[in-house]
Amino acid sequence: MSNKDQFNEIALTTTENLAKEFLLGTATSFLDELAKAIPFASSALALSTAYSNFKTAQEKRQLLAFIQEIEINKPDFINKFFKDKNNTELGLEILGILDQTYLEKQARMIGRVTILLKNLVISKQEFDKYTYIITKLNNHLITIIKELHQASKDATHSTFHFPSPNMDLISFEFLVEVENNRKFTTQSNYQRTEFFYYFYENIFKD
């Protein structure tokens, strides 16, 4: 069994146990369950006070999705991350960011951007920008982002004519307005940015 399959099996077992806990009202805490099911998670107990905010099923699901995404892509990363006292402040910050999300896809994206930061691929300032965008996403915006990327495959050029583009895409710097050379039209021209493509390929895409 591969590491990915093994971890998925562990994660599924943990999720099933959590479901039983919520449905049957048992007193077993999430941290105890996680520590028993996933050995490396026990090292994260040093930040147990921070985990006290993760009391609902949704928050626990987000935390598990975050850990699973990181461990699948970079085995033993979580164990080393939480053992390093230098990561305490960042660890608390990440927990706060996860607390602002509700979709598992958001938690997985936060996992990916955390790896990019710790591998020195992106700066802390870029990390802050990416996580800000991630916390603002919802199912509607996720669908629009997918469609925007798909359009780049279908279009013969990268300029689009939008009567009223989604303003979030502009504020995220996924689209930038360009000069409109067409006469007798009030529509604006927009291009997808390199920032958008990087975000999609390295953080957004599952």
Side-chain angles (χ1 to χ4, degrees):
M1 181 182 294
S2 67
N3 289 337
K4 181 175 181 179
D5 291 337
Q6 185 177 22
F7 187 85
N8 280 333
E9 182 176 340
I10 292 173
L12 287 173
T13 300
T14 304
T15 303
E16 290 174 359
N17 290 339
L18 287 172
K20 291 178 182 178
E21 176 183 335
F22 300 135
L23 293 174
L24 301 177
T26 62
T28 304
S29 71
F30 170 69
L31 287 178
D32 289 340
E33 190 66 30
L34 187 62
K36 286 186 291 183
I38 309 175
F40 65 76
S42 60
S43 63
L45 293 178
L47 296 177
S48 59
T49 55
Y51 284 92
S52 62
N53 291 327
F54 288 83
K55 295 179 180 178
T56 68
Q58 176 179 303
E59 290 166 334
K60 294 169 184 177
R61 182 192 64 189
Q62 292 301 89
L63 178 59
L64 185 59
F66 168 80
I67 292 175
Q68 181 179 8
E69 180 65 26
I70 288 183
E71 196 65 12
I72 288 174
N73 288 283
K74 196 172 180 64
D76 205 36
F77 178 92
I78 288 289
N79 186 38
K80 294 178 180 178
F81 181 85
F82 282 109
K83 281 185 176 180
D84 187 347
K85 293 182 179 180
N86 293 325
N87 291 326
T88 300
E89 183 176 352
L90 178 60
L92 293 172
E93 181 180 349
I94 290 171
L95 291 176
I97 294 169
L98 283 171
D99 200 26
Q100 300 175 54
T101 67
Y102 69 99
L103 298 173
E104 288 188 34
K105 184 174 181 65
Q106 289 173 295
R108 293 195 298 272
M109 285 190 278
I110 293 170
R112 295 177 199 128
V113 79
T114 298
I115 293 176
L116 291 175
L117 174 65
K118 295 306 294 182
N119 285 347
L120 304 180
V121 177
I122 62 173
S123 67
K124 181 58 167 62
Q125 184 176 1
E126 290 171 317
F127 171 85
D128 293 340
K129 183 175 182 177
Y130 286 128
T131 53
Y132 171 80
I133 292 172
I134 292 169
T135 60
K136 300 303 178 184
L137 296 181
N138 53 35
N139 282 318
H140 174 63
L141 284 173
I142 286 173
T143 298
I144 291 177
I145 289 172
K146 289 178 180 178
E147 292 174 348
L148 186 63
H149 185 266
Q150 182 60 40
S152 69
K153 298 178 181 179
D154 300 335
T156 56
H157 51 77
S158 60
T159 302
F160 288 85
H161 307 285
F162 292 114
S164 56
N166 186 290
M167 297 307 295
D168 286 315
L169 299 181
I170 297 174
S171 67
F172 294 162
E173 298 180 15
F174 289 168
L175 289 176
V176 61
E177 188 171 5
V178 295
E179 184 179 357
N180 190 345
N181 294 321
R182 289 189 174 187
K183 296 181 179 180
F184 311 112
T185 179
T186 59
Q187 291 183 330
S188 299
N189 290 350
Y190 290 88
Q191 286 184 338
R192 287 154 299 203
T193 64
E194 291 300 320
F195 179 78
F196 165 73
Y197 286 113
Y198 185 88
F199 178 85
Y200 188 95
E201 294 296 333
N202 296 280
I203 299 170
F204 181 87
K205 185 172 66 175
D206 287 324

